[in-house]
Amino acid sequence: MNVVRTRGGLSVRVEPRAVLAVLLLVAAALTASVALIGTGDYPLSPAEVLRTLTGGGTPAQEFIVEDLRLPRVLVALLVGASLALAGAVFQSVSRNPLGSPDVLGLSQGSTVGALLVIVLFQGTPMAVAGGALAGGLASGVAIYLLAWQKGVHGNRFVLVGIAMTAILTSVIGYLLTQADLNDATRATVWMVGSLNGRDWSQVWPLLCAFAVLVPVVLGQGRGLRMLEMGDDTAYALGVRVERTRLVSLTAAVLLTAAATAAAGPIAFVALSAPQIARRLTRSSGPCLTAAACTGAALLVSADWAAQRLFGADQLPVGVLTGMLGGVYLLWLLYTERRAGRV
């Protein structure tokens, strides 16, 4: 770790390994993005993709890249980064590597909101996205209030979230039984989590939410780092504990809801990306920037792998992340058990 001092007397801590990890993750995400844009029924080489993105492609290539494939890649990058950043916040606040929107009921809340719109109102895709956003917010507020007892503490927060997940999963099952065949099929496809057919109408709202919420989360980075040492230590170091926790969780809930509204409930990115980022950087604290870059690289790479292995649009990316995430969760539980933490 190096400390850089500016002329104004400001000290900035720089961790060379973390900086290098972030740069490599950004390079990996961009490389996977170019590969994904070139993958499909009309394949393009990386050189053709880059030439088209810089304005040198044919009209057909410009249509394929800019209208069909680029929005999908941008949604993948934004959704992956949003979920990973939200997962880092939840894990830091709960001081538990299992704390993530998947485990704590946020994704299930968004799913319930979307299903209500599909089953009861046969809503448009935009209405479904709005329902997912509202459901995620409602479940986040409910979990926070139920976990509150002179503050929100990690173990209670996780337990309340797990209970909420069980309740919301039952609600999801009930809604599916009440839907007709067409609505149930549509709902099931949405619940898998997919980037198929994503266009600019999903990119812009997600990009706006990302641009507003990411600075809020990053601004709480020092406070989250102190919270991982315990509330008493954080108080002693001058951190306004409940304010930091509330602001961070609110931003994380909004990021999760926005990502789910754009692509459906993509499984396990929020759980695995922050832990991978910690291991890559070997730094203390939530590693917010590295986590976001890891999530973006993971989701784009998973979508590219799904298309290469099974053909274009044959396997929704949520299925692949779910399978890989399940294996990762088992490994995480095994390592935590060996360390005596679970």
Side-chain angles (χ1 to χ4, degrees), residues 79-80 83 101-102 107 111 190-195 198 259-260 262-271 299 302 316-322:
V79 168
L83 291 176
D102 312 88
S107 298
T111 301
W190 186 89
M191 286 169 55
V192 171
S194 175
L195 298 170
R198 294 303 179 265
T260 306
I266 304 291
F268 287 111
V269 173
L271 176 70
L299 191 54
V317 68
V319 175
L320 185 58
T321 61

Side-chain angles (χ1 to χ4, degrees), residues 17-324:
R17 183 185 176 92
V19 173
L20 178 60
V22 168
L23 292 176
L24 292 176
L25 287 167
V26 170
L30 293 177
T31 302
S33 297
V34 171
L36 179 57
I37 291 174
T39 302
D41 294 331
Y42 186 88
L44 298 170
S45 68
E48 289 174 327
V49 171
L50 293 174
R51 186 168 59 248
T52 303
L53 289 173
T54 55
T58 65
Q61 290 173 337
E62 289 180 355
F63 173 74
I64 292 171
V65 170
E66 297 175 6
D67 293 341
L68 299 181
R69 297 181 183 173
L70 182 58
R72 176 186 185 130
V73 170
L74 292 176
V75 169
L77 290 171
L78 292 170
V79 168
S82 298
L83 291 176
L85 203 56
V89 170
F90 279 106
Q91 291 174 12
S92 183
V93 169
S94 64
R95 299 196 290 275
N96 190 322
L98 298 178
S100 79
D102 312 88
V103 178
L104 301 181
L106 272 298
S107 298
Q108 289 79 4
S110 294
T111 301
V112 168
L115 288 184
L116 286 172
V117 174
I118 293 173
V119 174
L120 299 182
F121 306 106
Q122 293 76 47
T124 63
M126 188 61 68
V128 172
L133 186 63
L137 290 174
S139 61
V141 171
I143 292 168
Y144 189 86
L145 293 177
L146 290 171
W148 176 271
Q149 185 178 350
K150 297 180 180 180
V152 174
H153 299 284
N155 290 336
R156 185 163 63 246
F157 187 71
V158 171
L159 290 173
V160 170
I162 292 173
M164 184 64 69
T165 298
I167 294 171
L168 293 174
T169 300
S170 299
V171 174
I172 291 169
Y174 173 76
L175 290 173
L176 288 175
T177 62
Q178 298 304 305
D180 60 35
L181 182 60
N182 290 333
D183 289 339
T185 302
R186 182 184 172 196
T188 302
V189 170
W190 186 89
M191 286 169 55
V192 171
S194 175
L195 298 170
N196 299 345
R198 294 303 179 265
D199 56 29
W200 291 104
S201 65
Q202 281 90 31
V203 173
W204 296 119
L206 182 57
L207 181 60
C208 291
F210 191 82
V212 171
L213 295 170
V214 168
V216 174
V217 175
L218 295 181
Q220 303 301 315
R222 177 184 175 275
L224 289 171
R225 186 185 296 269
M226 298 301 106
L227 280 179
E228 291 191 356
M229 301 179 186
D231 288 3
D232 293 338
T233 302
Y235 275 122
L237 293 172
V239 177
R240 300 172 65 180
V241 171
E242 286 306 323
R243 179 182 180 279
T244 299
R245 190 177 281 133
L246 179 60
V247 171
S248 301
L249 287 176
T250 300
V253 168
L254 289 170
L255 281 171
T256 302
T260 306
I266 304 291
F268 287 111
V269 173
L271 176 70
S272 58
Q275 294 300 313
I276 294 173
R278 286 178 185 256
R279 285 164 172 77
L280 289 176
T281 60
R282 292 184 184 175
S283 59
S284 59
C287 309
L288 297 174
T289 303
C293 295
T294 303
L298 276 177
L299 191 54
V300 174
S301 299
D303 195 33
W304 173 80
Q307 292 203 44
R308 293 289 295 179
L309 293 174
F310 300 95
D313 299 335
Q314 296 300 309
L315 181 72
V317 68
V319 175
L320 185 58
T321 61
M323 290 189 294
L324 297 176

